[in-house]
Amino acid sequence: MRALVMAGVAGLLTLTLAPPAAATSGVPEQWSAGPFTAQVAVMAGDVDGDGKDDLVSYNTYLYGCYVLRSNGSAFQPQQNWGAGNFLSSGFNGNANFVGDMDNDGRADAVAVRRPTTSTPRGIFVARSIVDYYGVERFGTPKQWLDNTIAGDYGNLAADLDGDGDTDIIGLFDVATLAARSEGGTTLPLVAWAPPIRGQKATLAADATGDGKADLILVDAGGTRVVPGSANRWFDPPVSWSAVPFHGSKKTLTADIDADGDADLIAVNDTDVQVMRSTGSGYSAPEVWYAGSFSGTKETLTADVDGDGDADLVAVNTGDVWVLRSQ
Ligand SMILES: [Ca+2]
Ligand SMILES: [Ca+2]
Ligand SMILES: [Ca+2]
Ligand SMILES: [Ca+2]
């Protein structure tokens, strides 16, 4: 904060200039040094419903999903949350997500699978539960959708219709399909958008801040957004930025400044940059962290300290680091 003292007609006028909105991260903090069994994938979500995002790993047959629970300033030692005895493959898929599929406040584990000769296709959900013995774990995976939703160009997970549960999007050559969650099952597939994708990344998040996920197309020379509307994602994409902006390591979207809309994050080899959403466009890129911050296993966004803004998480083989937004 700066105080300016100016001489005016009415005598001394003191103006206090508010600082610009926080434009930095903190410094990297080591949140875990213990083992974290993560063979197939790592995702983040609040599995125990305490407001702080946790990490979930997907593994091969009989290993189960391991969870690193956040206590707000560190991850506790890993816990096996089960679901490993699933098909002949273990609980994992072509795409793996953590999201609250049934809107009970606890994020669930999701596997989106293509069929194999011995395993079925579709969406499989292992709900986060507190069992009869008071143990928090994932329940037995259930097939919520028996159809082809594992996309040629991958899958996204977001709340498409703003009803509070997580929906699944499949990116295909000929269409963009939605598998919307409805309590304990998935509604029949519907076309949600034309088969459009970004040149550098295709993301889904609520960039406009109305509660419904938008489609974010990160191109080489700029970024386009299709706001979610009554027309699903069939409205023409709108240019939100004409500045090239994508990460050399990863491009992510999450609400990094806690103002209710999802911002764009570029994780580069030498720094982390952010373009904030204004709700109808992206502001100019800002250096968020002037150093390298990424994980050898995974780099993701999650509100691990539960203060409302998304933090960055770097998962390595032997440790996990967090770069908190502030
Ligand atoms: Ca939690
Ligand atoms: Ca749930
Ligand atoms: Ca924001
Ligand atoms: Ca945070």
Side-chain angles (χ1 to χ4, degrees), residues 255-256 302-312 323-326:
D255 186 7
I256 202 139
D303 184 13
V304 290
D305 58 5
D307 67 351
D309 54 33
D311 312 297
L312 279 168
L323 186 61
R324 292 155 89 163
S325 300
Q326 47 187 220

Side-chain angles (χ1 to χ4, degrees), residues 157-268:
D159 183 4
L160 287 175
D161 46 16
D163 67 352
D165 54 35
T166 300
D167 310 303
I168 305 295
I169 299 125
L171 304 172
F172 293 89
D173 250 328
V174 294
T176 300
L177 300 180
R180 282 188 296 153
S181 298
E182 180 82 336
T185 185
T186 300
L187 295 171
L189 297 180
V190 292
W192 203 262
I196 48 175
R197 292 177 297 280
Q199 294 166 335
K200 294 293 181 182
T202 306
L203 308 168
D206 182 15
T208 60
D210 67 349
K212 294 195 198 76
D214 313 302
L215 180 63
I216 300 156
L217 308 169
V218 181
D219 295 325
T223 303
R224 296 172 293 157
V225 171
V226 181
S229 72
N231 209 17
R232 301 173 187 168
W233 286 344
F234 280 98
D235 291 332
V238 179
S239 174
W240 273 37
S241 171
V243 178
F245 188 86
H246 53 268
S248 59
K249 287 193 178 288
K250 206 159 184 190
T251 308
L252 302 165
T253 182
D255 186 7
I256 202 139
D257 54 7
D259 66 350
D261 48 35
D263 312 299
L264 210 54
I265 301 145
V267 179
N268 297 312

Side-chain angles (χ1 to χ4, degrees), residues 265-316:
I265 301 145
V267 179
N268 297 312
D269 294 274
T270 53
D271 68 3
V272 178
Q273 299 199 21
V274 167
M275 286 202 306
R276 295 174 207 239
S277 167
T278 65
S280 58
Y282 290 116
S283 57
E286 303 164 40
V287 174
W288 197 253
Y289 177 66
S292 170
F293 186 85
S294 63
T296 54
K297 278 203 169 186
E298 192 56 276
T299 310
L300 32 78
T301 56
D303 184 13
V304 290
D305 58 5
D307 67 351
D309 54 33
D311 312 297
L312 279 168
V313 181
V315 181
N316 299 313

Side-chain angles (χ1 to χ4, degrees), residues 45-54 69-70:
D46 184 10
V47 293
D48 54 8
D50 68 351
K52 299 180 276 287
D53 283 342
D54 314 296
R69 289 164 83 161
S70 167

